[in-house]
Amino acid sequence: MRYGVLGPLAVWDAEGRPVRVPEAKVRALLADLLVHGGGPVPADRLIEDLWASDPPGGSANTLQTKVSQLRRVLGRERVVREPAGYRLLLTDGADNRINGTDGNDSTDRPHGTHSTDGPHGTHGTHGTHGTHRNDVVGTVDALEFEELAERARAHREPAVKAGLFAEALALWRGPAYADVAESLFARGEITRLEELRLAVVEEHAEARLAVGEHTALAAELGALVGRHPLRERLRMAHMRALYRAGRQGDALRSFQDLRRELAEELGASPGPEASALHEAILRQERELATPAVGSLSCRTNLPAPLTPLIGRREAAGQVLARLDPGADTRLVTLTGLGGVGKTRLALAAAREASGRFADGVWLVELAGLGATSAPDDIAERVITTLGLCDTAATEPDLDDLVGWLCRAVADRKLLILLDNCEHLVEPVAVLAGAVLSAVPSAHLLLTSQEPLDIPGEAVHAVPPLTLPEHVDPAAIARSGAVELFVRRAAAAAPGFVLDADNAEAVATICRRLDGIPLALELVASRLRTLSPQELAARLDDRFARPDVRVRGLPDRQRTLRGMLDWSWQLLTEDERTVLRRLVVHADGCVMASAQAVCADAGLGAGRIPDLLSRLVDRSLVVREGDRFRLLESVAAYGAERLVEAGEETAVRARFVTHCTELAERENERLRGPDQRRCLERLDAETVNLRRALDLAVARDTAGHAVRLVNAQAWYWFLRGRLTEARRSLRTALAAGGEAAPAARAAARAWLAGIELRTSGAGTAAAPAGDDPTAGVEDPVLRARLQWFVGTGLTGGGHHREGRRLVEAGLAGARAARDHWGEAAALVELASHAPGGEASAELGAALFAEAGDRWGRLRATRALALAAERGGDGVRAERLHREGLHMAEELGLWTEVVEALTWLGRTALADGRAERATELYGRALSVSAERAYGAGEIRAEIGLGHAARLRGDRDAARRHLNRARAKSRTSGHAAHAVRAETALAELDPLPGA
C-alpha cells in the first residue's frame, strides 16, 4: 500500500490503483495512525482524537468497529494491536519491528487494559517510530517528499537540485491532511509539513535562479510572497528574480513592502541578508545582473585557494581585463620561468572572471600528459573536465575529438584554463586555434614557459615579485616579495614579524632570491632554526660559490636552481630518497601510493608518512586534501636526481606495478556497494594510470600494459570514456614483451565490445569467429565478456549473434555462480524479449543483492519497458522515476535525459501540460549542458507538444522550429521528420 497525506487522504495499492476508504471516522482513524508514523497509538488517545469531547457510548467498542472497517480496506495484517496501542504497518515483513515489538499481535484485547503511555507528543510521519526509514519512504508521500528534498540539498548540480525540488513539490495535491485539517491531533504535523513545503519552495526558487529561470520566477513568486509576506528568504528570491528580469523598481518596492510588513506586524526590521541584497540592487552590482551561476552549465572546477594571492593584485587586474568578453583577444598566455607563480595568478584571475562566463570556468591540468600527446589527447582531457564523456560515448565513429569538442561547445560562453602547456606547445596550439575559430564566445587562458605563437594570442609575462628598493622598514614591507616571505615565515615560525631589527636582512634575502615565489617559500621554513641575519649571510655565502652557477641558465633560473640545490643538501638521505621517487607520479598521490612507490628494502613503508610530512613542512611537497603533489620546478629537479641516483628504472617499475594492482583492486569493487567511491578514486588516479600505461608500453612490458587496460575497461565504460578505452586497449595489445595469452584474449574481447559501441548503428562489423571471448580462462570474466560483446552486437544491429553470446554468458555465469554476470545477462535478455518481466525482476534482485547501482538502473529500465509493454503505465512511471534518481546519483546524464523525456511523454498522454513542460524543460537543460544534441531535439519537440496542449501555439511553434533547425544541422533526420509532422499538425493546410 501507498498512502497520500499531502492533500486529501489517499490510498493506492501496489499497482497504483486508488483504494477507497469509506466513512469519515475511518478516514480520520487512518490519518491519526499515519500522523504517528507507524508508531503505536493508545486506544484512549484514538478515542479522544476522533471524538474529542463527545465520545460515543461504548467508545471502545465503537473504535474497534472503525478499526475492523479499516482492516477490511487495507488488510487485517496492516493494522495491529499491541500493548502500547494500535499501529499501522507501513511495510511488509520482519523489518516492521518498531520500538522492540515484532508486529505479529493483531488480535484485539479487552479495552479496559489499554496503555496510557503512548507517544501523543511524538507526531509526524517523519519519525516512523523505529521503522527502517529506507523501507517506508516509498509508502507515504510525505516521507518521499522529505527524501527528495534531502537528495536535492545534497546535489551540487543546480539543474538537478531544481528538478528534485520540483519533483518533491509535485507530490502535493493540496493542503496536507486536508480531510482532518480541523482535528487537533493533525495540527502539529500539518504545520510541520507546511513549513517544510515553504522551505522547499524557497530552495526550489533559488535553484531555478541558478539555472536562469528568473523571468518565470518573477511572475510566479508574486502571489506566494503576497500569502507569506514576512518570509525573508522567499522575498529575497523574488527580489533577485525581479531584478534579473529587468524590473529593478519592482524589486526595490518589494523590499519596502517587506520593511513595512515587518514593522507593522512584528515591530522588527529586515535582516542583514535582505538589507544587503537591497543595497546591492541599489548599486546595481555586477554579480546580480550576471550571476556567478547563471545556468546549469555555469559551474567551475577551480580549487579553493589555500592561501591569499600576494603581490599580484595589479597583475591579476591586468589579466582580468584581458579576459573581458569585450576584449580584443580571446587567448591569453601567462609565461614565465618555473616557480614564478603563473598557475596561482591564472587561478586568481579565472576565479575573478567566473561571473563573466555563463557556461563556467574550467581548469584543465596538462602536466600529466606526455610530450608525445596529440591534439585529440588534449581535447579528450577537456571533454572529461567538462563532463561530456557520457555524451561523447553516444556518438558513433568518434575519431576527431577536437572537432567534436568544438561542435559540442559551439554555443557556449566559457573560459578554459590550460595549465602547464610548455611541453605540449604544438598540440595545444592546434587545439586553441580550432576552439577559437569554432566557438566565438570561448576564451582560453594558458600557463606556459613559452608562448604558442599563434595569431590572436596575447602574451602576459609573469615577472618575479617586486623587490624592496629602500631601506626604510615601512617601504620594505610594501614589497610583494617581502610580504610573501613574511607570511610564509610566520607560518613556519609562529611569532615571526617584520620589524626594524630584521627588515634589512629580510630585504637582502628577497633580493638574493630575485623575488621568485617558490625560492622564497623554500627558504622561509629555515627561520625555524636561523635568524633572518644568519639566513641572509648563508645565502650570500651560498650564491657566491662558483659551484652553484649552472651554465646556460638565465640569472633568475640560476637563482631558483641554486635554491633547490641548497634545499636538497639540507635534507637527510631518506628525505632525498622520498622526494626524488615521488616524481614518478604524474598527478600527485595519496599516502598509500607514496609508500608503495618510495619504500624498498632499505626504506620501510612505515617511515614514509613522517618523511613526507617533513617535506611538506619544507615546502618541497604540497598537500591538497589527501593528495601530495610536487610543484613543476621541484618535480623537474627531482627527476634529475632520480636519474643521477640510478633509480629511475626500478622506481618506474614499482610505480607501474602499484598502478596495475590498484586498478585491479578497484575493478573488483566497481560492481558492488562501493561503486561510487571506486569511480571517484579511479577518477583521481586517471592521470597516474595513463602514465603507468605509457611507461609499461615504453618499457615493452606488455604483461603490465594488458593487465592495466583489462582492469580499467569497465571503469572506462561506466564513465563513457570509450575513445580512451579503444585507444588504450589497442596500444596495450601492440606493446612489446610477453603477456599471458588469456590476458591478451580478454583485452581483445574488451576491444571488440568497445569498437561495437563506437561504430555507427548498422555499420559495426561482428567480431571474427564464433566466440570473441575464446581463450579467456577465468570463467567469471569470460561470461561477463560474452555479455559485454553480445550487448554490443545487439546495439549494432546483429541481434541473433548478440543474443547467442548473451545466452552463453548467462549459462557461463550460472555455472560459475557469478550473480553479477547472471543479473547482467538476464536484464539484457529481458530488454529485448516480450514477457521478460520475470527475468528482469530476478536480475534486479541480483543487482540489488550485489549493491551495484548501475546494474539496478539497467534492471529498472528493463522493468519499466516490460510494464509499458504490458499496459501498466502507473508502474512504468514509478520505475522510470526510480531510474531517474539512480542516473542522477551516478552522473549518467544521457540516461537522465532519456528518463525525463519518457516521463514528459507520459505526462503529455495524461493531459498534464504543466508537469510535461517542467520535465521536458529539465531534459533540455541537462541536454544543453552535456552537449547531447539528440536529447535537446527530443526535449524541444516535447516542449512544443506541451505548449500546444496549454493552448500556447506561438510557444509551440518556437520550440518545434528550434527542434527542426537543430535536427537538420546535426544530421538527426528522424527527429527532423517528427518536428515537421508536429508543425504540420499545429498549422494544418486549408481544407485539410
Side-chain angles (χ1 to χ4, degrees), residues 864 868 872-878 880-881 898-913 915-917 919-920 942 949:
E868 192 175 355
D872 191 345
V874 173
R875 185 164 189 253
E877 181 173 0
R878 177 175 61 79
H880 275 297
R881 285 177 58 195
E898 299 305 317
L900 286 169
T901 51
W902 191 97
L903 290 167
R905 201 162 57 244
T906 303
L908 276 180
D910 293 343
R912 294 175 289 157
R915 178 64 172 155
T917 300
L919 288 163
Y920 280 122
L949 186 60

Side-chain angles (χ1 to χ4, degrees), residues 418-489:
L418 300 175
D419 193 29
N420 293 311
C421 300
E422 48 275 339
H423 62 303
L424 298 166
V425 170
E426 292 300 325
V428 169
V430 172
L431 176 74
V435 169
L436 293 174
S437 297
V439 190
S441 294
H443 284 61
L444 300 178
L445 177 61
L446 280 58
T447 70
S448 177
Q449 294 187 23
E450 59 178 291
L452 300 185
D453 284 332
I454 64 174
E457 180 184 28
V459 179
H460 182 99
V462 181
L465 294 171
T466 57
L467 296 171
E469 298 177 356
H470 307 284
V471 295
D472 173 53
I476 289 173
R478 290 193 292 270
S479 155
V482 170
E483 185 182 357
L484 176 63
F485 178 82
V486 170
R487 291 257 190 143
R488 299 296 180 264

Side-chain angles (χ1 to χ4, degrees), residues 589-727:
C589 62
V590 295
M591 181 63 74
S593 297
Q595 290 175 298
V597 171
C598 297
D600 60 10
L603 180 61
R607 296 193 56 216
I608 302 302
D610 180 60
L611 294 167
L612 197 51
S613 177
R614 285 190 242 163
L615 293 171
V616 171
D617 289 342
R618 288 163 173 75
S619 297
L620 289 163
V621 175
V622 177
R623 180 169 185 173
E624 298 175 356
D626 63 348
R627 296 189 76 79
F628 299 87
R629 302 183 188 277
L630 300 178
L631 295 175
E632 54 180 305
S633 300
V634 177
Y637 183 87
E640 293 180 21
R641 292 296 187 178
L642 186 66
V643 174
E644 184 181 272
E647 296 180 338
E648 185 179 35
T649 300
V651 172
R652 285 183 168 183
R654 280 203 298 275
F655 174 73
V656 171
T657 299
H658 167 69
C659 287
T660 303
E661 293 171 350
L662 180 148
E664 289 174 339
R665 282 195 307 272
E666 297 299 331
N667 181 48
E668 288 301 311
R669 298 171 182 155
L670 269 178
R671 296 171 178 83
D674 203 30
Q675 183 178 74
R676 187 169 183 174
R677 286 188 291 273
C678 283
L679 288 169
E680 291 169 352
R681 285 194 289 268
L682 288 170
D683 288 343
E685 296 297 337
T686 289
V687 177
N688 284 330
L689 293 170
R690 287 173 181 160
R691 168 69 64 85
L693 178 59
D694 290 343
L695 291 175
V697 171
R699 294 169 57 235
D700 288 330
T701 54
H704 277 111
V706 172
R707 284 174 60 193
L708 265 169
V709 294
N710 283 338
Q712 294 181 83
W714 186 240
Y715 162 73
W716 286 324
F717 173 78
L718 289 178
R719 280 303 194 219
R721 298 177 183 171
L722 302 189
T723 303
E724 179 179 1
R726 182 177 59 186
R727 184 187 65 248

Side-chain angles (χ1 to χ4, degrees), residues 571-609:
L571 299 177
T572 66
E573 189 56 44
D574 287 342
E575 289 169 345
R576 294 178 189 176
T577 299
V578 172
L579 184 61
R580 66 175 176 255
R581 291 176 179 177
L582 283 174
V583 303
V584 74
H585 296 94
D587 191 30
C589 62
V590 295
M591 181 63 74
S593 297
Q595 290 175 298
V597 171
C598 297
D600 60 10
L603 180 61
R607 296 193 56 216
I608 302 302

Side-chain angles (χ1 to χ4, degrees), residues 129 137 214 804 901 917:
H129 296 275
V137 163
H214 41 267
R804 178 180 56 79
T901 51
T917 300

